């Protein structure tokens, strides 16, 4: 078994795709599609579903990929909190946590915490929590080089 993809329901799939493309160098896997009809509605249990779908490949890997879905009719929610039950955040390991934080802020994301060393002085393991442009929680990790 393997994890195939991570799906995020978006207010604007195009805006969210631009965020992940700009900040994390994701690439479109296929042209965006609109999904609808009886088969889609049977599969997800929502009558009359119309979904705009974008698939993004993470750098240097085929799976899992990000599936961004914009439903024609959707239920909004408040921004998730770090301590809420259920799926919590996406975590990305990267080389330069500070520049990625700057890029997230420039792309419309926000900061939640501050850079913290979960490692040691000799082998730092830096982490910080942020939000993407739609409020989804991200964890950035920078292991020792």
């Amino acid at each position: 078994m393997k994890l195939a993809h991570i799906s995020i329901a978006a207010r604007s799939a195009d805006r969210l795709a631009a965020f992940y493309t700009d900040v994390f160098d994701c690439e479109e896997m296929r042209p965006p599609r609109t999904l609808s009809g009886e088969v889609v509605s049977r599969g997800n249990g929502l009558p009359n579903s119309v979904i705009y779908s974008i698939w993004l490949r993470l750098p240097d890997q085929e799976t899992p990929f990000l599936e961004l879905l914009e439903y024609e009719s959707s239920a909004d929610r408040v921004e998730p909190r770090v301590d809420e039950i259920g799926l919590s955040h996406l975590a990305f390991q990267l080389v330069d946590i500070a520049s990625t934080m700057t890029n997230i802020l420039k792309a419309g994301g926000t900061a939640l915490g501050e850079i913290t060393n979960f490692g040691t002085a000799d082998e730092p393991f830096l982490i910080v929590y942020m939000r993407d442009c739609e409020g989804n929680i991200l964890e950035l990790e920078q292991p020792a080089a």
Side-chain angles (χ1 to χ4, degrees):
M1 178 178 11
K2 69 178 181 177
L3 179 61
H5 66 269
I6 299 160
S7 184
I8 303 174
R11 291 173 188 86
S12 169
D14 287 326
R15 180 174 182 236
L16 200 55
F19 177 90
Y20 283 96
T21 299
D22 292 345
V23 173
F24 295 107
D25 295 324
C26 291
E27 295 178 356
E28 201 173 85
M29 291 179 65
R30 60 158 172 77
R33 296 181 183 163
T34 298
L35 311 169
S36 63
E38 181 184 340
V39 172
V40 173
S41 292
R42 271 199 334 260
N44 67 19
L46 296 172
N48 305 312
S49 285
V50 178
I51 310 165
Y52 178 60
S53 169
I54 299 173
W55 289 3
L56 297 178
R57 178 181 299 111
L58 297 164
D60 303 321
Q61 59 189 60
E62 291 300 313
T63 60
F65 63 89
L66 292 180
E67 174 187 56
L68 309 179
L69 302 177
E70 181 180 334
Y71 289 80
E72 188 173 81
S73 175
S74 61
D76 205 3
R77 69 174 185 176
V78 296
E79 284 188 329
R81 291 176 19 150
V82 173
D83 62 347
E84 282 183 343
I85 302 299
L87 295 177
S88 176
H89 62 270
L90 298 176
F92 294 96
Q93 269 195 6
L94 36 91
V95 175
D96 186 348
I97 200 167
S99 69
T100 303
M101 288 179 70
T102 298
N103 291 339
I104 287 172
L105 296 172
K106 285 180 184 175
T110 56
L112 279 175
E114 58 187 64
I115 297 175
T116 305
N117 185 3
F118 270 49
T120 65
D122 292 335
E123 289 199 34
F125 190 91
L126 306 179
I127 68 111
V128 67
Y129 281 74
M130 299 192 75
R131 291 187 188 274
D132 69 19
C133 65
E134 288 208 356
N136 300 297
I137 300 171
L138 307 173
E139 178 184 349
L140 307 181
E141 302 176 352
Q142 181 182 319

